[in-house]
Amino acid sequence: MRLLAVLLFLISTELQAQQILPLFQNDSLRTFVTMPFRLRKSTSEGIPIVSIKLVSALSECKAMIDPNITSNFLIRCESPASVSVDVYFEFNGVIQKIRYGPLTVAQISDTGVVVQPPAVTDKYKTGRELFAAKCMECHQSPYEKENKSFTQIKQSIQSVGEMNKLNVLTDAQIQAIRDYLNHLD
Amino acid sequence: MKKFVKVLFLIFAVTGVVAQFQNCAKKEAAFTDEIVEETFSFFSYRYEKATPIYYELQIIPVSSDATYQTYKLILFAANSDGGAADIQYEFEIFDSAGKSMCALKTGSLSGGVSRVEESCIALKASVLGRALVKVRNPGGAWEVLNESYIN
């Protein structure tokens, strides 16, 4: 009996070490709202997330890691849904997983109508998204690299040690980033 | 002594079983980047640096008569570090000519409250043009969202 208690204790402390904290309260888990969550230690320090994957409501919702705060992830749904998500993180050098949910996301209003800002249809969408995904971890704002040329970007990927890992970018992708950086508002 | 050996054996057995699964998740992690890129536009992710506060305004037309249109304005906000600091807010919506549609709404969220709802009665003829939302922790700098609703 005591043995079982010891084991349960060991297992539970192991599981409690990491937890997912919804940053919005239940009354804010609604359609169209970008809902933030945080993976943290019981000491409330954030844990970087390696990857995230929806395991339900795939057609209603999407999930992404906040590119600027890697301990946080965001979920947004366009229809009511019951959402579960797998959150992967590194612990003691191994990838671990927490399954979070199911979480009920209700309709934001009975009338169902929500005024949305028009979809960003700008020509430089690809470049903007690439910059956000590939560059913003180090260059916090596109204005920091405004009007850079293709050659400048290409050369910095080769010559700046931190940027070497970006040599996977194709020339077309670099051109898209260049086009975006040359057309900031 | 016998009991101790039993306990030790059990602990080994359990860690052994757990260890079997340690690497199972590894393969799936490789998909991160594609998922991030694909979902960026869905979220219209707008923060250019680590934001101290996540916030957004949802505008919902609720009812109307011949002259007036009533909107429900819902502000959602929370500290990005999960902390309990108060969040002060200000928000206002403007028509397509830049004229305020309702009075500026101001207030403060505390105790982890992440939602505040305000009602706005506007002239039916006016077209929603823009929303201005500001949030901050007391004493901090304002985070500003200036969202356009016209193409």
Side-chain angles (χ1 to χ4, degrees):
Chain A
M1 211 42 220
R2 199 189 296 159
L3 170 63
L4 199 66
V6 168
L7 270 176
L8 282 177
F9 173 75
L10 282 177
I11 291 171
S12 65
T13 45
E14 184 70 11
L15 290 179
Q16 272 168 11
Q18 304 92 19
Q19 54 182 207
I20 288 168
L21 177 76
L23 298 178
F24 280 177
Q25 291 185 344
N26 282 345
D27 69 357
S28 309
L29 304 181
R30 293 290 182 270
T31 51
F32 299 106
V33 176
T34 296
M35 304 168 291
F37 300 82
R38 184 169 178 82
L39 175 66
R40 61 177 206 174
K41 298 182 188 156
S42 41
T43 56
S44 92
E45 185 191 338
I47 305 170
I49 300 168
V50 172
S51 172
I52 184 160
K53 217 170 119 211
L54 281 180
V55 287
S56 71
L58 302 190
S59 53
E60 296 92 345
C61 310
K62 285 196 155 95
M64 70 180 261
I65 301 169
D66 184 331
N68 296 312
I69 309 178
T70 52
S71 300
N72 292 1
F73 64 94
L74 308 166
I75 297 179
R76 182 175 180 271
C77 306
E78 292 197 330
S79 333
S82 175
V83 192
S84 297
V85 67
D86 280 348
V87 179
Y88 297 91
F89 59 97
E90 207 177 299
F91 184 73
N92 287 344
V94 240
I95 304 281
Q96 309 256 342
K97 177 179 95 175
I98 294 184
R99 175 157 297 182
Y100 182 65
L103 200 79
T104 305
V105 178
Q107 191 89 263
I108 190 166
S109 109
D110 306 334
T111 52
V113 196
V114 179
V115 188
Q116 292 284 298
V120 197
T121 52
D122 64 297
K123 261 163 69 187
Y124 310 108
K125 181 166 170 282
T126 314
R128 182 168 45 81
E129 290 175 6
L130 277 169
F131 188 87
K134 304 287 183 191
C135 317
M136 267 169 66
E137 73 178 82
C138 303
H139 306 303
Q140 273 72 38
S141 155
Y143 293 97
E144 211 180 281
K145 297 290 170 214
E146 193 166 10
N147 297 330
K148 294 293 173 197
S149 69
F150 176 86
T151 325
Q152 279 171 311
I153 299 172
K154 185 109 181 166
Q155 276 176 359
S156 52
I157 290 174
Q158 279 149 14
S159 60
V160 178
E162 288 92 332
M163 287 174 62
N164 287 167
K165 61 177 182 182
L166 294 170
N167 62 15
V168 293
L169 290 177
T170 63
D171 282 359
Q173 286 176 313
I174 296 176
Q175 274 156 13
I177 295 172
R178 186 265 326 266
D179 291 347
Y180 163 67
L181 292 175
N182 283 270
H183 294 89
L184 300 176
D185 295 332
Chain B
M1 193 57 205
K2 221 170 159 193
K3 203 163 180 189
F4 174 72
V5 170
K6 255 188 189 163
V7 173
L8 210 65
F9 173 76
L10 250 161
I11 290 176
F12 278 141
V14 169
T15 39
V17 169
V18 171
Q20 293 287 311
F21 294 96
Q22 297 258 306
N23 281 317
C24 289
K26 248 181 180 159
K27 232 162 132 192
E28 293 169 85
F31 293 106
T32 328
D33 275 7
E34 285 153 54
I35 295 169
V36 167
E37 276 175 48
E38 182 197 313
T39 48
F40 249 95
S41 49
F42 181 84
F43 285 88
S44 47
Y45 184 87
R46 62 172 200 272
Y47 304 107
E48 288 188 344
K49 53 179 174 51
T51 185
I53 299 171
Y54 289 107
Y55 64 106
E56 68 181 61
L57 185 70
Q58 294 287 346
I59 303 174
I60 300 155
V62 278
S63 62
S64 65
D65 60 22
T67 335
Y68 297 105
Q69 167 73 56
T70 306
Y71 292 97
K72 191 155 76 175
L73 306 180
I74 315 179
L75 174 79
F76 297 93
N79 293 304
S80 65
D81 63 356
D86 283 6
I87 296 174
Q88 298 173 337
Y89 65 82
E90 294 188 5
F91 59 88
E92 188 164 12
I93 59 174
F94 302 88
D95 67 12
S96 50
K99 259 181 49 198
S100 177
M101 286 170 71
C102 317
L104 174 77
K105 316 289 182 193
T106 64
S108 178
L109 297 171
S110 52
V113 172
S114 58
R115 168 182 177 137
V116 59
E117 222 173 283
E118 294 275 1
S119 187
C120 164
I121 302 171
L123 281 175
K124 198 168 187 180
S126 49
V127 176
L128 178 68
R130 188 166 68 84
L132 186 66
V133 187
K134 300 206 271 181
V135 293
R136 69 171 178 193
N137 293 128
W142 287 109
E143 300 290 319
V144 181
L145 166 64
N146 195 343
E147 184 107 79
S148 172
Y149 285 82
I150 25 187
N151 256 318

